[in-house]
Amino acid sequence: MTTAKKPLIGLTLGQLQEVAASIGLRPFAAKQIARRLYVSRASDISEMTELPKAARAALEENYTVGRTAPRLASRSTDGTVKYLFSTEGYLTRGAGGRDIEAVYIPDRDRATLCVSSQAGCRMGCRFCMTGRQGYHGDLSAAGIINQILSIPDSESLTNIVFMGMGEPMDNVDEVLRAIEILTAPWGLAWSPKRITVSSIGKLDGLRRLLDETKVHIAISVHTPYTAEREGLMPVERAFPLTRVIGLLRDYDFAHQRRFSAEYIMWRGVNDDMRHADMLARVLKGTDCRVNLIRFHAIPDFEGRPATREAMERFRDRLNELGITATIRASRGEDIEAACGMLSGEQSAATQPTAGQTLQTHE
């Protein structure tokens, strides 16, 4: 991708109308461009044959489609694939210098892509590799949409989860723009029920997400106790869980969307009945489903995964108390693609082998 030119992917219909006007085209041409970008999956402006040749030439002076293939693909024994993407040309702020990752998870009749919204993260959760590396920049909507359009299995995707690198609500403008492109009739025309956004509970962004979309919401909880959560997630001081849950109580999750709580489990830390009972009290009165997640070990963090037996007891206790709880299957741990393991840094375990390296193209 030519960095001096602006990417067309990631632009909304209103923005594409401005582009069309700048090269002397009428507003309806924006829908033609959008259809080529998001439905036909064009990789080059020359494919936009609905536009006059002169208009295509004018468009090419300042714009590129903006599609860039992943630099590397690492495949797990369970079928999960982790893709490494360059952030060059895709950051709206930040110093850059770090790649980002997206994870493709096939599962029977579902194919989910876990996308990143930032390079690194400024939330500082101690148990997360992304948080441990610090913040390197915000992805533009183009950088988010590129992950979705540029993987080999793009057209087979059934679900998108914003659970990759970064805190989506810390980059809410670009995330909302990407969601608009995913759900608008002129874009990919997905139902918002196919999209889940995960957050630590950054309140200003979360409120906008709730008001402006109908996507599913997942909140990182991990412990119902304030002091413990502060020790694991420093953002508890700025965005206490009680305030986050209080905000969510004001919205209807019974029909339009789903609210879930993400709960990573550590042995002897948050896996006993005391925590289960308190979690049920915190979530009481909400239509919340709890996803119990086995901790995946990372360097320099002392926590150990809870046992399967402890996770099952915890799940059963929550269900007894009227809170629907399930244990999420762990996927992609052998390629460092599981929850909390994304770093945007090519590790020894994911060095390219014959046939793994992917060429970058526009």
Side-chain angles (χ1 to χ4, degrees), residues 123-128 131-132 200 220-237 263-266 269-270 275 295 301-303:
M123 300 300 108
C125 298
R126 292 182 54 236
F127 51 85
C128 176
R132 297 271 289 275
I200 51 82
S220 298
V221 176
H222 311 316
T223 176
Y225 291 103
T226 299
E228 287 182 358
R229 197 165 186 260
E230 280 186 8
L232 293 166
M233 305 169 64
V235 294
E236 167 68 15
R237 301 184 193 97
Y263 195 93
I264 295 175
M265 298 192 70
W266 294 277
V269 175
N270 65 346
H275 283 80
F295 172 62
F301 183 75
E302 64 279 7

Side-chain angles (χ1 to χ4, degrees), residues 49-360:
T49 52
E50 303 90 339
L51 305 182
K53 186 175 181 181
R56 277 178 273 151
L59 197 58
E60 286 178 335
E61 288 182 9
N62 295 305
Y63 294 93
T64 174
V65 165
R67 293 265 303 278
T68 305
R71 296 177 53 199
L72 179 70
S74 303
R75 186 174 297 274
S76 168
T77 55
D78 63 25
T80 300
V81 186
K82 181 172 71 171
Y83 293 102
L84 187 74
F85 285 92
S86 171
T87 58
E88 185 178 355
Y90 291 130
L91 295 180
T92 61
R93 63 176 178 175
R98 200 67 169 251
D99 292 338
I100 54 98
E101 292 167 327
V103 180
Y104 173 71
I105 310 168
D107 185 15
R108 297 187 293 276
D109 58 345
R110 291 169 63 94
T112 300
L113 187 67
C114 177
V115 299
S116 294
S117 55
Q118 294 179 307
C121 182
R122 65 171 107 233
M123 300 300 108
C125 298
R126 292 182 54 236
F127 51 85
C128 176
M129 282 292 290
T130 305
R132 297 271 289 275
Q133 71 171 249
Y135 169 78
H136 298 274
D138 286 349
L139 281 177
S140 63
I144 296 170
I145 293 296
N146 181 61
Q147 296 168 67
I148 297 164
L149 296 182
S150 295
I151 66 165
D153 293 292
S154 174
E155 296 194 49
S156 70
L157 292 175
T158 63
N159 297 84
I160 298 293
V161 293
F162 285 78
M163 295 183 180
M165 300 173 66
E167 164 53 48
M169 297 302 91
D170 196 37
N171 187 22
V172 67
D173 288 336
E174 301 301 317
V175 168
L176 288 173
R177 189 170 293 122
I179 291 172
E180 181 181 354
I181 292 165
L182 284 167
T183 58
W186 50 262
L188 276 76
W190 278 33
S191 164
K193 294 180 180 180
R194 297 170 63 183
I195 303 168
T196 300
V197 178
S198 177
S199 175
I200 51 82
K202 196 168 187 287
L203 290 168
D204 50 352
L206 183 59
R207 188 175 288 106
R208 286 189 60 192
L209 183 73
L210 289 161
D211 288 338
E212 298 177 31
T213 78
K214 295 295 183 183
V215 300
H216 298 313
I217 308 294
I219 298 297
S220 298
V221 176
H222 311 316
T223 176
Y225 291 103
T226 299
E228 287 182 358
R229 197 165 186 260
E230 280 186 8
L232 293 166
M233 305 169 64
V235 294
E236 167 68 15
R237 301 184 193 97
F239 307 109
L241 182 61
T242 52
R243 289 184 60 197
V244 175
I245 300 300
L247 172 65
L248 293 167
R249 288 184 197 279
D250 294 335
Y251 291 83
D252 177 18
F253 287 94
H255 304 101
Q256 294 293 325
R257 52 163 46 126
R258 183 176 63 247
F259 163 37
S260 60
E262 309 294 296
Y263 195 93
I264 295 175
M265 298 192 70
W266 294 277
R267 190 178 311 182
V269 175
N270 65 346
D271 61 349
D272 56 23
M273 294 304 98
R274 177 175 67 94
H275 283 80
D277 291 349
M278 177 58 78
L279 182 60
R281 286 198 289 273
V282 169
L283 296 176
K284 185 177 180 180
T286 67
D287 220 346
C288 181
R289 173 176 181 156
V290 177
N291 293 318
L292 303 177
I293 304 167
R294 182 172 65 83
F295 172 62
H296 303 99
I298 63 172
D300 302 319
F301 183 75
E302 64 279 7
R304 295 182 299 160
T307 65
R308 179 72 186 188
E309 293 75 17
M311 294 182 72
E312 290 175 350
R313 287 194 298 270
F314 201 98
R315 175 200 62 196
D316 294 345
R317 179 62 172 168
L318 287 176
N319 287 333
E320 289 171 5
L321 295 171
I323 303 294
T324 301
T326 58
I327 298 173
R328 181 187 291 172
S330 178
R331 300 289 299 271
E333 185 173 6
D334 57 329
I335 57 168
E336 298 179 4
C339 182
M341 300 184 79
L342 300 184
S343 67
E345 191 172 48
Q346 186 175 310
S347 67
T350 59
Q351 290 290 332
T353 57
Q356 264 196 310
T357 302
L358 301 174
Q359 296 300 313
T360 300

